[in-house]
């Protein structure tokens, strides 16, 4: 079974600074997908960024980028120019690419606070 | 387009009762998944449905059941509620076979069992 570990329960960053959230995972699969989701107090899980394991290039979405290290099974999220609206819980998630394997496995989350 | 809608937003039930939670996916999405998120934890997979058939089930007891309707909306049912069932229940819809496009989540139903 796949597992996802987020070792930082809480983090804080000054507004406009850069912060990196860590995520490691364990799987025996070669092809899979990785995601970062943001959950603000409104409770809705919002997709931040995704990565396909067969792509070596790290995904980027505006101020958000990942450092995907397949051999190390590491998938960290970097937030540049942090904004107050980035304050939220961040969850790393894994999904097997096999047919019919659509479930997401989540980590326990990192609570990020952006300080003015 | 409307996003994933869930109802009700909040619910309080007594131990032993039954509850039904509802979810309407994004238009065009044919797959619905249910997740349970206990306070302070990441979501845990409960069920996935596609074309009215169960395609995946997480490690939850038989008290949990679900179904999907012809319009792709879905219901999650929980019987004989326990205090430990208190959680945020999230519904997510997706295009089957969409690869890495991920899932779109609703805002959830907060269930409190007393």
């Amino acid at each position: 079974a796949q597992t996802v570990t987020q070792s930082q329960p809480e983090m804080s960053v000054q507004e406009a600074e850069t912060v990196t959230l860590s995520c490691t995972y364990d799987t025996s699969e070669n092809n899979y997908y990785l995601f970062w989701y943001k959950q603000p107090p409104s409770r809705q899980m919002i997709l931040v960024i995704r990565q396909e394991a067969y792509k070596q290039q790290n995904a980027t979405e505006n101020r958000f980028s990942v450092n995907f290290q397949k051999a190390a099974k590491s998938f960290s999220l970097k937030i540049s120019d942090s904004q107050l609206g980035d304050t939220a819980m961040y969850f790393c998630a894994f999904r097997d690419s096999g047919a019919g394997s659509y479930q997401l496995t989540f980590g326990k989350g990192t609570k990020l606070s952006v300080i003015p | 387009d409307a996003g994933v809608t869930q109802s009700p937003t909040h619910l309080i039930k007594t131990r032993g009762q039954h509850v039904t939670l509802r979810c309407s996916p994004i238009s065009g999405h044919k797959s619905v998944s249910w997740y349970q998120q206990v306070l302070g934890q990441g979501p845990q997979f409960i069920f996935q449905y596609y074309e009215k058939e169960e395609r995946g089930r997480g490690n939850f007891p038989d008290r949990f059941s679900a179904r999907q309707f012809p319009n792709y909306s879905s219901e999650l049912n929980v019987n004989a509620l326990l205090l430990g069932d208190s959680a945020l229940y999230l519904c997510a819809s997706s295009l089957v076979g969409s690869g890495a496009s991920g899932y779109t989540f609703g805002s959830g139903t907060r269930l409190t069992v007393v």
Side-chain angles (χ1 to χ4, degrees), chain B residues 1 8 22 29-31 33 42 44-45 51 61 66 77 94 104 108 114:
Chain B
D1 272 346
R22 295 177 175 83
H29 284 195
K30 299 182 178 181
S31 177
S33 300
Q44 295 289 317
F45 173 73
E51 292 287 9
N77 295 283
S94 63
T104 303
V114 298

Side-chain angles (χ1 to χ4, degrees), chain B residues 17-97:
Chain B
Q17 285 189 316
H18 164 271
V19 68
T20 298
L21 310 180
R22 295 177 175 83
C23 172
S24 293
I26 288 176
S27 178
H29 284 195
K30 299 182 178 181
S31 177
V32 169
S33 300
W34 287 95
Y35 289 80
Q36 180 196 65
Q37 187 178 17
V38 174
L39 192 63
Q41 301 291 320
Q44 295 289 317
F45 173 73
I46 310 175
F47 285 110
Q48 192 232 349
Y49 274 78
Y50 172 64
E51 292 287 9
K52 297 167 286 182
E53 291 187 3
E54 181 182 305
R55 295 299 181 96
R57 183 184 182 115
N59 188 24
F60 280 81
D62 292 342
R63 298 185 297 107
F64 289 76
S65 64
R67 56 178 175 169
Q68 187 176 32
F69 299 99
N71 65 353
Y72 303 111
S73 67
S74 177
E75 285 183 352
L76 175 69
N77 295 283
V78 187
N79 292 323
L81 285 166
L82 304 174
L83 296 179
D85 295 331
S86 294
L88 178 66
Y89 288 84
L90 295 166
C91 173
S93 75
S94 63
L95 287 166
V96 176

Side-chain angles (χ1 to χ4, degrees), chain A residues 33 35 37 39 42-47 50-52 89 91 95 100-109, chain B residues 9-10 35 37 40-43 45 48 55 88 90 96-97 99-103 105-110:
Chain A
Y33 304 103
F35 307 87
Y37 278 91
Q39 187 177 41
S42 65
R43 308 182 322 199
Q44 186 175 12
M45 301 283 281
I46 301 167
L47 179 63
R50 59 185 179 264
Q51 176 80 41
E52 298 165 55
M89 286 292 295
F91 292 95
R95 198 201 98 175
S101 301
Y102 297 120
Q103 71 177 78
L104 291 170
T105 300
F106 287 86
K108 292 186 176 182
Chain B
T9 56
H10 296 84
Y35 289 80
Q37 187 178 17
Q41 301 291 320
F45 173 73
Q48 192 232 349
R55 295 299 181 96
L88 178 66
L90 295 166
V96 176
S101 67
Y103 298 79
F105 284 82
S107 296
T109 294
R110 173 72 67 189

